[in-house]
Amino acid sequence: MKNWKRTLLSLIISAGMLTTTAPAIAAPQQPSLKVNNENVEFAMNAPVVEQGTTMVPLKITLQSLDIKLTNAQSGTIHAVVDGKKITLKSKTKLINGVTYAPIRVIGDAAGYDVQWDQKSRTVLLVSQATNENARGFMWEVGNKGNTVYLVGSIHIADDSFYPLRSEFEEAFAEADYLGVEIDISKAADEEQQQLIMKMGMYQDGTTLKDHVSKETYAKVGEILKQNGMEPNAFDAYKPWVAETTLSSLKSIKAGYKAEAGIDLYFIQKALKRKLPILELESFESQLGMFNNFSQELQEKNLKTALDNYDTLDDNVDQLAEMWKSGDDEQLLEFTDSMATDPEYNKAMLIDRNIGMANKIEGYLNSDKKAEYFIVVGAGHYLGEHGVIQLLKDKGYDVVRK
């Protein structure tokens, strides 16, 4: 097993920790912009990233797309494209006297797909005629007039994952229910934060230093200092919180965020549609799983994250490309890498997969004759203990889409 894979598995298996523990860190350098591989030059005001959204200077960006801006105020942008007047509804923001708007809104209106080149930190606008949307992971299973779409999520992403291919959007448009591991739009709720404090922090007066080796504790301090934080910033937290937070920190610095993850993308769309959201798990069950790891496993996972910290951003890029290509073989390799540690494999995959498959079977046997759009970490689906095989063992025909 390549140890770096262990540090990435939570990105395709567990959603809760990615939205609850990572503290704020300095923002990465400002991105640049290309239109069909041609650089857009900004004299002074460059694009910025705010809360996972890439904002660009409105006027000069529209000019680069041969769009004439006529007016922008009160969340409405008026412009002219190919001689036709268009109106865009979008939040704008004044930065240093210049009006900024989300690049996705502008790109969509002009007929481009918005992508992201992580290595060069460049926003790419690609003509839709030349772009192949990300394949991702989706399966379909039906029974008794019910249809369940099973979508494999990656819990962090960036603009380059969107737009999703039409099969995802069409299936979701017909859905009567959205199913997710947990509704991470509620991650900031006081109840969820109290759970983190109760489970993830020491309550007996001890600190992280008392529960890990001197070498591990020193390495944690070194990496925290690299991120502009105090070396004892994690003292109150257990090793599993330190591990998942460090992995999240590096992913965020690499440009990937939970706000752009596939599950949150569909949760936000469901909220707009007032679509019922079903939770296959709970914050408490996910946090409890991490908290119940043995002390040995918690430190082992933390050491793996520390040892692979310097290369984690490149490895997240590889995971992202795996999702976009919909590579079943590579996904199975990731999930199978857990089998080398029975405790980790049982808690993270085997037990949870059984619970998910049982709930999905309940939807398939419902008398509602409804369509269910289920989005859980992609790592839960494949392999002999995966949700797909569990459903096949129950007699259902599951088809890759």
Side-chain angles (χ1 to χ4, degrees):
M1 171 184 175
K2 294 182 178 179
N3 286 336
W4 62 265
K5 291 177 183 175
R6 173 65 63 84
T7 67
L8 301 181
L9 287 167
S10 62
L11 307 184
I12 54 173
I13 293 175
S14 182
M17 287 304 299
L18 300 176
T19 58
T20 52
T21 60
I25 60 174
Q29 65 183 28
Q30 294 173 321
S32 57
L33 176 66
K34 286 186 177 182
V35 178
N36 286 335
N37 213 33
E38 294 292 328
N39 286 309
V40 177
E41 300 296 336
F42 297 94
M44 296 180 62
N45 298 86
V48 298
V49 177
E50 291 193 345
Q51 297 182 339
T53 298
T54 303
M55 306 284 287
V56 293
L58 181 60
K59 185 174 181 180
I60 191 170
T61 302
L62 290 177
Q63 287 176 348
S64 70
L65 301 175
D66 294 324
I67 300 175
K68 182 180 179 182
L69 175 67
T70 56
N71 190 29
Q73 60 182 2
S74 302
T76 303
I77 300 170
H78 299 280
V80 178
V81 183
D82 295 331
K84 297 180 181 179
K85 294 181 179 180
I86 64 170
T87 300
L88 307 178
K89 295 292 184 180
S90 174
K91 292 182 179 179
T92 58
K93 183 174 183 178
L94 205 61
I95 302 177
N96 297 328
V98 175
T99 300
Y100 277 66
I103 185 59
R104 183 169 300 285
V105 173
I106 297 172
D108 287 347
Y112 292 85
D113 288 332
V114 182
Q115 302 179 6
W116 175 253
D117 184 343
Q118 175 56 36
K119 290 185 178 179
S120 63
R121 291 197 56 76
T122 303
V123 180
L124 306 172
L125 295 188
V126 181
S127 297
Q128 291 182 357
T130 62
N131 181 54
E132 292 185 7
N133 294 349
R135 174 165 168 74
F137 298 92
M138 184 166 69
W139 295 263
E140 179 182 353
V141 55
N143 188 57
K144 295 184 178 178
N146 299 295
T147 301
V148 176
Y149 287 97
L150 303 170
V151 174
S153 175
I154 180 170
H155 297 308
I156 61 169
D158 60 25
D159 286 345
S160 68
F161 284 72
Y162 301 94
L164 301 177
R165 60 187 173 100
S166 59
E167 287 86 348
F168 284 90
E169 300 291 2
E170 289 167 2
F172 180 77
E174 299 298 323
D176 300 295
Y177 299 91
L178 170 66
V180 291
E181 292 177 32
I182 54 177
D183 184 353
I184 56 177
S185 68
K186 301 176 181 177
D189 289 358
E190 182 178 354
E191 181 181 354
Q192 318 307 339
Q193 295 303 309
Q194 288 178 347
L195 275 175
I196 283 286
M197 295 177 65
K198 178 181 177 182
M199 293 189 183
M201 300 178 71
Y202 291 108
Q203 310 293 329
D204 59 1
T206 62
T207 68
L208 179 65
K209 190 175 184 179
D210 301 313
H211 295 270
V212 298
S213 69
K214 291 182 179 179
E215 293 77 13
T216 299
Y217 183 77
K219 190 66 178 292
V220 170
E222 290 173 11
I223 291 179
L224 288 174
K225 287 172 67 176
Q226 291 174 21
N227 284 281
M229 301 167 68
E230 293 296 325
N232 63 350
F234 285 175
D235 275 11
Y237 294 98
K238 298 177 181 178
W240 63 268
V241 178
E243 177 233 331
T244 52
T245 304
L246 286 173
S247 298
S248 296
L249 284 174
K250 196 63 182 289
S251 300
I252 290 170
K253 292 191 76 172
Y256 298 95
K257 295 188 177 182
E259 294 94 316
I262 305 302
D263 35 3
L264 188 54
Y265 170 79
F266 284 111
I267 287 172
Q268 291 170 336
K269 290 172 74 75
L271 292 172
K272 288 180 181 179
R273 282 180 51 190
K274 298 186 177 179
L275 197 70
I277 298 176
L278 308 172
E279 293 183 299
L280 278 68
E281 299 182 308
S282 68
F283 273 95
E284 188 166 11
S285 69
Q286 284 203 359
L287 298 180
M289 173 194 64
F290 285 103
N291 196 43
N292 289 331
F293 284 165
S294 66
Q295 285 297 310
E296 293 76 15
L297 180 57
Q298 287 191 40
E299 181 165 6
K300 179 180 179 181
N301 290 343
L302 176 56
K303 289 177 66 176
T304 298
L306 295 169
D307 292 343
N308 293 278
Y309 188 79
D310 291 339
T311 60
L312 184 58
D313 46 1
D314 291 334
N315 298 330
V316 176
D317 288 342
Q318 182 176 338
L319 183 65
E321 290 306 313
M322 178 272 292
W323 191 92
K324 293 175 188 177
S325 65
D327 189 331
D328 289 27
E329 183 176 339
Q330 191 175 0
L331 175 59
L332 182 59
E333 183 182 344
F334 268 87
T335 54
D336 278 352
S337 66
M338 282 195 186
T340 58
D341 192 312
E343 180 188 357
Y344 194 66
N345 188 41
K346 184 176 187 299
M348 288 287 280
L349 279 183
I350 295 177
D351 291 347
R352 294 173 66 202
N353 290 353
I354 291 171
M356 290 181 185
N358 288 341
K359 285 207 170 184
I360 292 166
E361 184 178 30
Y363 305 148
L364 288 167
N365 285 293
S366 168
D367 58 4
K368 295 180 179 179
K369 298 188 185 304
E371 182 169 308
Y372 299 81
F373 192 86
I374 307 298
V375 184
V376 301
H380 289 288
Y381 285 112
L382 299 182
E384 63 176 320
H385 301 293
V387 169
I388 301 301
Q389 187 60 50
L390 292 174
L391 291 174
K392 288 181 177 179
D393 290 344
K394 293 173 181 288
Y396 300 103
D397 185 20
V398 186
V399 180
R400 181 73 153 90
K401 304 298 287 183

